[in-house]
Amino acid sequence: MHDATLKTLSDALAARKLSSVEATELFLGRIRTLNGRYNCFITVDEDRSLAQAKEADAARAAGRAEPLTGIPIAQKDIFCAKGWLTTCASKMLSNFVSPYDAHVVERFNRAGAVIIGKTNMDEFAMGSSNETSWYGPVRNPWDTDRVPGGSSGGSAAALAARLVPAATGTDTGGSIRQPCALTGTCGLKPTYGLVSRYGMIAFASSLDQGGPMARTAEDLALMLNTMVGFDLRDSTSLDRPVEDYMSDLQQSVRGLRIGLPREFFAEGLQPDVAKVVEAAVAQYKALGCKITEVALPNMGLSVPVYYVLAPAEASSNLARFDGVRYGYRTPQYRDLNEMYEKTRAEGFGAEVKRRILIGTYVLSHGYYDAYYIRAQKVRRLIAEDFARAFEKCDVIMGPTSPTTAFKLGEKAADPLQMYLSDIYTIAVNLAGLPGMSIPCGFDTQGLPVGLQIIGNYFREAQMLNVAHQYQLATDWHSRVPPHI
Ligand code: GLN
């Protein structure tokens, strides 16, 4: 049963073959025995989860059940959840019990889902390996000497190790898609503005987007139905007609035009990753899709542009952590200034400080035009590249990550190498487009490879259809790590 998809669990609950308390106890038991090996969770609160499960069973008995009622779902520790420790994997918030729910958490609660715990992540979602967490690194269930990717690495590893059937993530430059690729799981970053950022601790607000992580495209669709929705409390939330993301799953993909950007298959791509992704494209061809080449000429500038804009926004967003109202405060100080300085020096880790320094620099008088404004202009050019590409195709495909899971410590001392982990994902955030990753095979060492599917704005239903049809024809998504 721990290998069951969200859909299977949902059907079993509906058929009364399983209660929510049973399902919750099952996954809590797995977390109890296996979390020590992977470090996927920062907080588990069995009593709280079981209380929610009992409520879900009561709701079902009273005839008030929805598809997610009673399903245990892990929340990335970037989402505020009332009464739960919410740390963002930082010492700065290591004592912060949230007094309110994020929009996403509120939605899952209303749907009757059970919070099974808060997952580990890179500190303030800054990283691609989960090594920047104040709570220690997460280990990849496919090989515990390797990273699970980041920043949503705890959610991804928990899914791969079958500790949870579903989890949430956030993606600012690749943090849902890249860890999904490295752990053989599925994740979707929605169009910017589709999922409210209210109560999702801010990193780079013009790029941050929450999204679902699971083991099948069908499960992502189920979750997205709950996560998407207009929210007045987020000024960039979009007021659009409600969609059912399950409705298009069964459609044929015959005639679908798939664009392959030549920039996605250039230098730097691990050769066996390229082969596996090409085989996935061949599978789509066999399903009747038409393959065309497209160009994204400004793609190469996406990493440098991101590392101007994201730190700029982060330096501003993280100014709120000053030891005054909540979070960590240094124990000893002589005056207010020293309190600020010591609190921030002690509360933030090295990567977060690096980003604050870069961000403050590029926004400073004299450099603002040269860096920040110029980066904004290139950001527009990158979005226009995609607009032109989508005139020739319906979806874009390529690798999610240039490599499979790397060793713990391998890139930790070299920020630039680490930043290149997101070379294929970052442009999607800069353009505000939806992107997803699904497993499509293994490299020569038996490590999972992710296929990235990028859609046009609001084409999530179509992308999920494209992914689901592939998963009907292949079984990469149901492969389980060796010792699980
Ligand atoms: N790895 C990228 C970074 O460090 C993206 C992280 C994210 O998407 N949150 O900023």
CSV table of all heavy atoms in Angstrom, one decimal, residues 76 78 122 124-129 150-152 170-178 203 208 306-307 310 351 355 418-419 421-422 425-426 429, ligand 1:
chain,number,residue,atom,x,y,z
A,76,LYS,N,6.2,21.2,2.1
A,76,LYS,CA,7.5,21.8,2.1
A,76,LYS,C,7.6,22.8,3.3
A,76,LYS,O,6.6,23.6,3.4
A,76,LYS,CB,7.9,22.4,0.8
A,76,LYS,CG,9.3,23.0,0.7
A,76,LYS,CD,9.6,23.6,-0.7
A,76,LYS,CE,11.0,24.1,-0.8
A,76,LYS,NZ,11.3,24.7,-2.2
A,78,ILE,N,8.5,25.6,3.7
A,78,ILE,CA,8.4,27.0,3.3
A,78,ILE,C,7.0,27.5,3.4
A,78,ILE,O,6.7,28.7,3.4
A,78,ILE,CB,8.9,27.1,1.8
A,78,ILE,CG1,9.3,28.6,1.5
A,78,ILE,CG2,7.9,26.6,0.8
A,78,ILE,CD1,10.1,28.7,0.1
A,122,ASP,N,16.5,23.3,1.0
A,122,ASP,CA,17.6,24.3,1.1
A,122,ASP,C,17.2,25.5,1.9
A,122,ASP,O,16.0,25.9,1.8
A,122,ASP,CB,18.1,24.7,-0.3
A,122,ASP,CG,19.0,23.6,-0.9
A,122,ASP,OD1,20.1,23.4,-0.3
A,122,ASP,OD2,18.7,23.1,-2.0
A,124,PHE,N,15.9,28.8,2.9
A,124,PHE,CA,15.1,29.8,2.2
A,124,PHE,C,15.0,29.4,0.7
A,124,PHE,O,14.9,30.3,-0.1
A,124,PHE,CB,15.7,31.2,2.4
A,124,PHE,CG,15.4,31.8,3.8
A,124,PHE,CD1,16.3,31.9,4.7
A,124,PHE,CD2,14.1,32.1,4.1
A,124,PHE,CE1,16.0,32.4,6.0
A,124,PHE,CE2,13.7,32.6,5.3
A,124,PHE,CZ,14.7,32.7,6.3
A,125,ALA,N,15.1,28.1,0.4
A,125,ALA,CA,14.9,27.6,-1.0
A,125,ALA,C,16.1,28.0,-1.9
A,125,ALA,O,15.9,28.1,-3.1
A,125,ALA,CB,13.6,28.0,-1.6
A,126,MET,N,17.2,28.3,-1.3
A,126,MET,CA,18.4,28.7,-2.1
A,126,MET,C,19.4,27.6,-2.2
A,126,MET,O,20.1,27.3,-1.2
A,126,MET,CB,19.1,29.9,-1.5
A,126,MET,CG,18.2,31.1,-1.4
A,126,MET,SD,18.9,32.5,-0.5
A,126,MET,CE,17.5,33.6,-0.4
A,127,GLY,N,19.3,26.9,-3.3
A,127,GLY,CA,20.2,25.8,-3.5
A,127,GLY,C,19.6,24.8,-4.5
A,127,GLY,O,18.5,24.8,-4.9
A,128,SER,N,20.5,23.8,-4.9
A,128,SER,CA,20.1,22.8,-5.9
A,128,SER,C,20.5,21.4,-5.4
A,128,SER,O,20.5,20.5,-6.2
A,128,SER,CB,20.8,23.0,-7.2
A,128,SER,OG,20.5,24.3,-7.7
A,129,SER,N,20.8,21.3,-4.1
A,129,SER,CA,21.3,20.0,-3.6
A,129,SER,C,20.8,19.6,-2.2
A,129,SER,O,21.1,18.6,-1.7
A,129,SER,CB,22.8,20.0,-3.5
A,129,SER,OG,23.2,21.0,-2.5
A,150,GLY,N,17.6,20.1,-5.2
A,150,GLY,CA,17.0,21.1,-4.3
A,150,GLY,C,16.3,22.2,-5.1
A,150,GLY,O,16.4,22.2,-6.3
A,151,SER,N,15.6,23.1,-4.5
A,151,SER,CA,15.5,23.1,-3.0
A,151,SER,C,14.5,22.2,-2.4
A,151,SER,O,14.5,21.9,-1.2
A,151,SER,CB,15.3,24.5,-2.6
A,151,SER,OG,14.0,25.0,-3.0
A,152,SER,N,13.5,21.7,-3.2
A,152,SER,CA,12.5,20.8,-2.6
A,152,SER,C,12.9,19.4,-2.5
A,152,SER,O,12.2,18.5,-2.8
A,152,SER,CB,11.2,20.9,-3.5
A,152,SER,OG,10.8,22.2,-3.8
A,170,THR,N,8.1,24.3,-4.0
A,170,THR,CA,8.1,25.6,-4.7
A,170,THR,C,9.3,25.7,-5.6
A,170,THR,O,10.3,25.0,-5.5
A,170,THR,CB,8.3,26.7,-3.6
A,170,THR,OG1,9.5,26.6,-2.9
A,170,THR,CG2,7.1,26.7,-2.6
A,171,ASP,N,9.1,26.5,-6.7
A,171,ASP,CA,10.1,26.5,-7.8
A,171,ASP,C,10.3,28.0,-8.1
A,171,ASP,O,9.4,28.7,-8.6
A,171,ASP,CB,9.4,25.7,-8.9
A,171,ASP,CG,10.4,25.4,-10.0
A,171,ASP,OD1,11.1,26.3,-10.5
A,171,ASP,OD2,10.5,24.2,-10.5
A,172,THR,N,11.5,28.5,-7.9
A,172,THR,CA,11.9,29.8,-8.2
A,172,THR,C,12.8,29.8,-9.4
A,172,THR,O,12.8,30.8,-10.2
A,172,THR,CB,12.6,30.5,-7.0
A,172,THR,OG1,11.8,30.4,-5.8
A,172,THR,CG2,13.0,31.9,-7.2
A,173,GLY,N,13.6,28.7,-9.5
A,173,GLY,CA,14.5,28.6,-10.7
A,173,GLY,C,14.6,27.1,-11.1
A,173,GLY,O,15.5,26.8,-11.9
A,174,GLY,N,13.9,26.3,-10.4
A,174,GLY,CA,13.9,24.9,-10.8
A,174,GLY,C,13.7,23.9,-9.6
A,174,GLY,O,13.8,22.7,-9.7
A,175,SER,N,13.3,24.5,-8.5
A,175,SER,CA,13.3,23.7,-7.2
A,175,SER,C,12.2,22.7,-7.1
A,175,SER,O,12.3,21.9,-6.2
A,175,SER,CB,13.2,24.7,-6.0
A,175,SER,OG,14.5,25.2,-5.7
A,176,ILE,N,11.3,22.6,-8.0
A,176,ILE,CA,10.4,21.5,-8.0
A,176,ILE,C,10.9,20.5,-9.1
A,176,ILE,O,11.1,19.3,-8.8
A,176,ILE,CB,8.9,21.9,-8.4
A,176,ILE,CG1,8.3,22.6,-7.3
A,176,ILE,CG2,8.1,20.6,-8.8
A,176,ILE,CD1,6.9,23.2,-7.5
A,177,ARG,N,11.2,21.0,-10.2
A,177,ARG,CA,11.6,20.1,-11.4
A,177,ARG,C,12.9,19.4,-11.2
A,177,ARG,O,13.0,18.2,-11.5
A,177,ARG,CB,11.6,20.9,-12.7
A,177,ARG,CG,10.2,21.4,-13.1
A,177,ARG,CD,10.3,22.5,-14.1
A,177,ARG,NE,10.6,23.8,-13.4
A,177,ARG,CZ,11.1,24.8,-14.0
A,177,ARG,NH1,11.4,24.8,-15.3
A,177,ARG,NH2,11.4,25.9,-13.3
A,178,GLN,N,14.0,20.1,-10.7
A,178,GLN,CA,15.3,19.5,-10.6
A,178,GLN,C,15.3,18.4,-9.6
A,178,GLN,O,15.8,17.3,-9.9
A,178,GLN,CB,16.4,20.6,-10.4
A,178,GLN,CG,17.8,20.1,-10.5
A,178,GLN,CD,18.3,20.0,-9.0
A,178,GLN,OE1,17.6,20.1,-8.1
A,178,GLN,NE2,19.6,19.8,-8.9
A,203,PHE,N,11.1,34.2,-1.4
A,203,PHE,CA,12.5,34.2,-1.8
A,203,PHE,C,12.7,35.3,-2.9
A,203,PHE,O,13.2,36.4,-2.6
A,203,PHE,CB,12.9,32.8,-2.3
A,203,PHE,CG,14.2,32.6,-3.1
A,203,PHE,CD1,15.1,33.6,-3.2
A,203,PHE,CD2,14.5,31.4,-3.7
A,203,PHE,CE1,16.3,33.5,-4.0
A,203,PHE,CE2,15.6,31.2,-4.4
A,203,PHE,CZ,16.5,32.2,-4.6
A,208,ASP,N,8.9,33.0,-7.7
A,208,ASP,CA,8.4,32.0,-6.8
A,208,ASP,C,7.0,31.4,-7.2
A,208,ASP,O,6.1,32.2,-7.5
A,208,ASP,CB,8.2,32.5,-5.4
A,208,ASP,CG,9.5,32.9,-4.7
A,208,ASP,OD1,10.6,32.6,-5.1
A,208,ASP,OD2,9.4,33.6,-3.6
A,306,TYR,N,19.2,35.4,-13.9
A,306,TYR,CA,18.6,34.9,-12.6
A,306,TYR,C,19.4,35.3,-11.4
A,306,TYR,O,18.9,35.7,-10.4
A,306,TYR,CB,18.4,33.4,-12.7
A,306,TYR,CG,17.9,32.8,-11.5
A,306,TYR,CD1,16.5,32.6,-11.2
A,306,TYR,CD2,18.8,32.2,-10.5
A,306,TYR,CE1,16.0,32.0,-10.1
A,306,TYR,CE2,18.3,31.6,-9.3
A,306,TYR,CZ,16.9,31.5,-9.1
A,306,TYR,OH,16.5,30.9,-8.0
A,307,TYR,N,20.8,35.2,-11.5
A,307,TYR,CA,21.6,35.5,-10.4
A,307,TYR,C,21.9,37.0,-10.1
A,307,TYR,O,22.6,37.4,-9.3
A,307,TYR,CB,22.9,34.6,-10.4
A,307,TYR,CG,22.5,33.2,-9.8
A,307,TYR,CD1,22.2,32.2,-10.7
A,307,TYR,CD2,22.3,33.0,-8.5
A,307,TYR,CE1,21.8,30.9,-10.2
A,307,TYR,CE2,21.9,31.8,-8.0
A,307,TYR,CZ,21.7,30.8,-8.9
A,307,TYR,OH,21.2,29.6,-8.4
A,310,ALA,N,17.2,37.3,-8.9
A,310,ALA,CA,16.7,36.5,-7.7
A,310,ALA,C,17.4,37.0,-6.4
A,310,ALA,O,16.7,37.3,-5.4
A,310,ALA,CB,16.9,35.0,-7.9
A,351,GLU,N,25.1,30.5,2.1
A,351,GLU,CA,24.5,30.7,0.8
A,351,GLU,C,23.6,31.9,0.8
A,351,GLU,O,23.5,32.7,-0.1
A,351,GLU,CB,23.9,29.5,0.3
A,351,GLU,CG,23.3,29.6,-1.2
A,351,GLU,CD,24.3,29.9,-2.2
A,351,GLU,OE1,25.5,29.6,-2.1
A,351,GLU,OE2,23.9,30.6,-3.2
A,355,ARG,N,23.7,35.5,-1.2
A,355,ARG,CA,22.7,36.1,-2.0
A,355,ARG,C,22.3,37.5,-1.6
A,355,ARG,O,22.0,38.4,-2.4
A,355,ARG,CB,21.4,35.2,-2.0
A,355,ARG,CG,21.6,33.8,-2.3
A,355,ARG,CD,21.5,33.4,-3.8
A,355,ARG,NE,21.8,32.0,-4.0
A,355,ARG,CZ,21.0,31.2,-4.6
A,355,ARG,NH1,19.8,31.6,-5.0
A,355,ARG,NH2,21.3,29.9,-4.8
A,418,MET,N,27.2,24.7,-8.9
A,418,MET,CA,25.9,24.5,-8.3
A,418,MET,C,24.9,25.2,-9.1
A,418,MET,O,23.8,24.7,-9.5
A,418,MET,CB,25.9,24.9,-6.9
A,418,MET,CG,24.7,24.4,-6.1
A,418,MET,SD,24.7,22.6,-5.9
A,418,MET,CE,25.6,22.5,-4.4
A,419,TYR,N,25.1,26.5,-9.4
A,419,TYR,CA,24.1,27.3,-10.1
A,419,TYR,C,23.8,26.7,-11.5
A,419,TYR,O,22.7,26.9,-12.0
A,419,TYR,CB,24.6,28.8,-10.3
A,419,TYR,CG,24.8,29.5,-8.9
A,419,TYR,CD1,25.4,30.7,-8.9
A,419,TYR,CD2,24.3,29.0,-7.7
A,419,TYR,CE1,25.6,31.4,-7.7
A,419,TYR,CE2,24.5,29.6,-6.5
A,419,TYR,CZ,25.2,30.9,-6.5
A,419,TYR,OH,25.4,31.5,-5.3
A,421,SER,N,23.3,23.8,-12.3
A,421,SER,CA,22.3,22.7,-12.2
A,421,SER,C,21.0,23.1,-12.7
A,421,SER,O,20.2,22.2,-13.1
A,421,SER,CB,22.1,22.2,-10.7
A,421,SER,OG,23.3,21.9,-10.1
A,422,ASP,N,20.7,24.4,-12.7
A,422,ASP,CA,19.4,24.8,-13.1
A,422,ASP,C,19.4,25.5,-14.5
A,422,ASP,O,18.5,26.2,-14.9
A,422,ASP,CB,18.8,25.8,-12.1
A,422,ASP,CG,18.6,25.2,-10.8
A,422,ASP,OD1,18.0,24.1,-10.8
A,422,ASP,OD2,19.1,25.8,-9.8
A,425,THR,N,16.1,24.9,-16.4
A,425,THR,CA,14.9,25.2,-15.7
A,425,THR,C,14.6,26.7,-15.5
A,425,THR,O,13.5,27.2,-15.5
A,425,THR,CB,14.8,24.5,-14.4
A,425,THR,OG1,16.0,24.8,-13.6
A,425,THR,CG2,14.6,23.0,-14.5
A,426,ILE,N,15.7,27.5,-15.3
A,426,ILE,CA,15.6,28.9,-14.9
A,426,ILE,C,14.8,29.8,-15.9
A,426,ILE,O,14.0,30.6,-15.5
A,426,ILE,CB,17.0,29.4,-14.6
A,426,ILE,CG1,17.4,29.1,-13.1
A,426,ILE,CG2,17.0,30.9,-14.8
A,426,ILE,CD1,18.8,29.5,-12.7
A,429,ASN,N,11.1,30.0,-15.4
A,429,ASN,CA,10.6,30.9,-14.3
A,429,ASN,C,10.7,32.4,-14.8
A,429,ASN,O,9.9,33.2,-14.5
A,429,ASN,CB,11.5,30.8,-13.0
A,429,ASN,CG,11.4,29.4,-12.5
A,429,ASN,OD1,12.0,28.4,-13.1
A,429,ASN,ND2,10.7,29.2,-11.4
B,1,GLN,N1,18.7,26.4,-7.4
B,1,GLN,C1,18.1,27.7,-7.6
B,1,GLN,C2,18.6,28.7,-6.6
B,1,GLN,O1,19.4,28.3,-5.8
B,1,GLN,C3,16.6,27.6,-7.7
B,1,GLN,C4,16.1,27.5,-6.3
B,1,GLN,C5,14.6,27.5,-6.3
B,1,GLN,O2,13.9,27.2,-7.3
B,1,GLN,N2,14.0,27.8,-5.2
B,1,GLN,O3,18.2,29.8,-6.5
